[in-house]
Amino acid sequence: MNNERLSLLSNIAHIFNENQIGSADYELAKFFLKNYANISKMNINNVADQNHVSRATVRRFCDQLGYANFKELKAHFGDFNEGIEKYRHFYSGCTFRSNLVVQLNLMMDELSKRMNTPEKNSIIRSMSEADEVYIFASSRVATSVLAFQQELVNFGLTIHLADTQDDIEAFKPFLTTKSLIIVFSITGVFADSIRKTMVDIPGRKILFTLQRNVTFNRTFDKIYHFREQGNSKINDQLYYTYGMNFILDILFKDYLDYIYKKEEK
């Protein structure tokens, strides 16, 4: 499925999960999720009438998702059916399980190599030495990061987690040159959406992504790519479902090794 559509769906699901049942935002999010394939054929009156809300409420919902109006939002639903076909192609057929195992082995092997470098050790040192550590990630990735955050609390490291533009803006007054900001954006869509905000943020900024975007070089101090340039053998979705947990487990293990060595000294 198109990466931009995935990000949009993830943001709608976040609103659905975070709001009270029966609230306008909850009901609109539920409506958009259930009617995802047909939104591009609707107008704002259809949406407002079917959800018993005003057009202004629908516009505010669109604004939460980063769109100026409903027309701009629905333009991003247009190729949903094409995205569904890509999903069906990957997950269908009697060879799915064997293909999945092959791709997982390829991905884990490459990630293991790319996460076994001296540069990675500098992240661990930065996590230990920073005044505060912040992780910014889309809501789809933030679920994995949440477990990482909770594990590190047990070892004295508190990580601040943000998965929306509003959360990042709320953190800005507290960020300093001694802050460490790690951004996880597998497809690059989330990183691109917060790029203008990140330019004005002080501190050391690190990005983990699949996307090779030259504009990121002007925003982040260091970029770690999940895979080698030109490697398209591995389905992007596997980085969401398996790759992120693998990377976070490696960072967690290496952080523990680092603090244990410091204690021994």
Side-chain angles (χ1 to χ4, degrees):
M1 188 179 291
N2 181 284
N3 292 334
E4 203 164 348
R5 252 50 102 212
L6 281 172
S7 179
L8 173 57
L9 180 59
S10 176
N11 290 336
I12 295 172
H14 176 74
I15 294 174
F16 178 75
N17 292 330
E18 294 297 318
N19 282 276
Q20 185 175 0
I21 295 175
S23 67
D25 283 343
Y26 174 89
E27 294 300 332
L28 282 170
K30 180 180 177 181
F31 178 82
F32 276 92
L33 291 173
K34 289 182 68 175
N35 297 279
Y36 199 91
N38 300 313
I39 295 298
S40 61
K41 303 171 188 174
M42 298 183 182
N43 59 46
I44 192 170
N45 292 322
N46 299 144
V47 177
D49 291 346
Q50 291 187 53
N51 288 279
H52 310 291
V53 297
S54 67
R55 288 183 296 177
T57 301
V58 177
R59 291 191 193 99
R60 283 194 294 272
F61 184 83
C62 296
D63 182 65
Q64 283 190 70
L65 295 167
Y67 297 91
N69 50 51
F70 177 75
K71 183 178 179 180
E72 185 178 301
L73 170 64
K74 80 171 187 174
H76 289 262
F77 286 88
D79 62 354
F80 177 71
N81 290 329
E82 178 188 349
I84 286 291
E85 288 307 312
K86 290 179 180 178
Y87 261 85
R88 285 175 179 162
H89 177 73
F90 179 68
Y91 285 101
S92 65
C94 59
T95 61
F96 167 71
R97 196 173 294 187
S98 59
N99 289 338
L100 177 62
V101 170
V102 169
Q103 289 206 15
L104 284 175
N105 286 331
L106 287 171
M107 181 182 69
M108 295 304 184
D109 184 57
E110 183 169 30
L111 285 177
S112 183
K113 292 174 182 175
R114 299 184 79 77
M115 292 296 291
N116 188 28
T117 66
E119 291 177 344
K120 181 209 58 182
N121 295 331
S122 72
I123 298 178
I124 302 302
R125 286 195 300 273
S126 296
M127 288 171 60
S128 177
E129 296 169 2
D131 282 357
E132 298 288 346
V133 180
Y134 298 81
I135 294 182
F136 300 159
S138 68
S139 55
R140 192 172 182 203
V141 173
T143 303
S144 297
V145 177
L146 184 61
F148 179 67
Q149 177 194 44
Q150 292 169 349
E151 289 170 344
L152 284 172
V153 166
N154 296 320
F155 296 91
L157 179 62
T158 301
I159 290 178
H160 306 277
L161 175 60
D163 62 359
T164 67
Q165 184 76 36
D166 288 344
D167 289 342
I168 294 172
E169 291 289 345
F171 281 140
K172 281 178 71 172
F174 305 99
L175 294 164
T176 71
T177 55
K178 294 183 178 180
S179 299
L180 173 66
I181 302 100
I182 302 174
V183 176
F184 288 104
S185 179
I186 291 176
T187 61
V189 173
F190 178 75
D192 193 52
S193 71
I194 64 171
R195 185 163 45 84
K196 291 181 180 178
T197 302
M198 293 297 293
V199 169
D200 299 326
I201 285 178
R204 176 165 165 74
K205 291 168 273 190
I206 299 171
L207 171 65
F208 284 84
T209 185
L210 289 172
Q211 183 63 254
R212 296 177 185 275
N213 185 334
V214 293
T215 61
F216 292 159
N217 297 330
R218 298 191 291 270
T219 307
F220 297 93
D221 300 298
K222 183 66 185 177
I223 300 174
Y224 291 86
H225 293 105
F226 289 133
R227 66 183 170 204
E228 196 174 58
Q229 189 167 8
N231 180 2
S232 58
K233 296 177 182 177
I234 304 164
N235 189 290
D236 288 0
Q237 305 316 310
L238 300 185
Y239 289 91
Y240 284 103
T241 49
Y242 302 95
M244 272 301 305
N245 288 329
F246 182 76
I247 290 164
L248 292 170
D249 276 347
I250 290 175
L251 290 176
F252 178 66
K253 194 270 183 190
D254 287 354
Y255 179 78
L256 294 190
D257 287 348
Y258 180 81
I259 61 173
Y260 288 154
K261 286 178 182 176
K262 283 184 67 175
E263 289 173 358
E264 289 174 0
K265 294 178 181 179

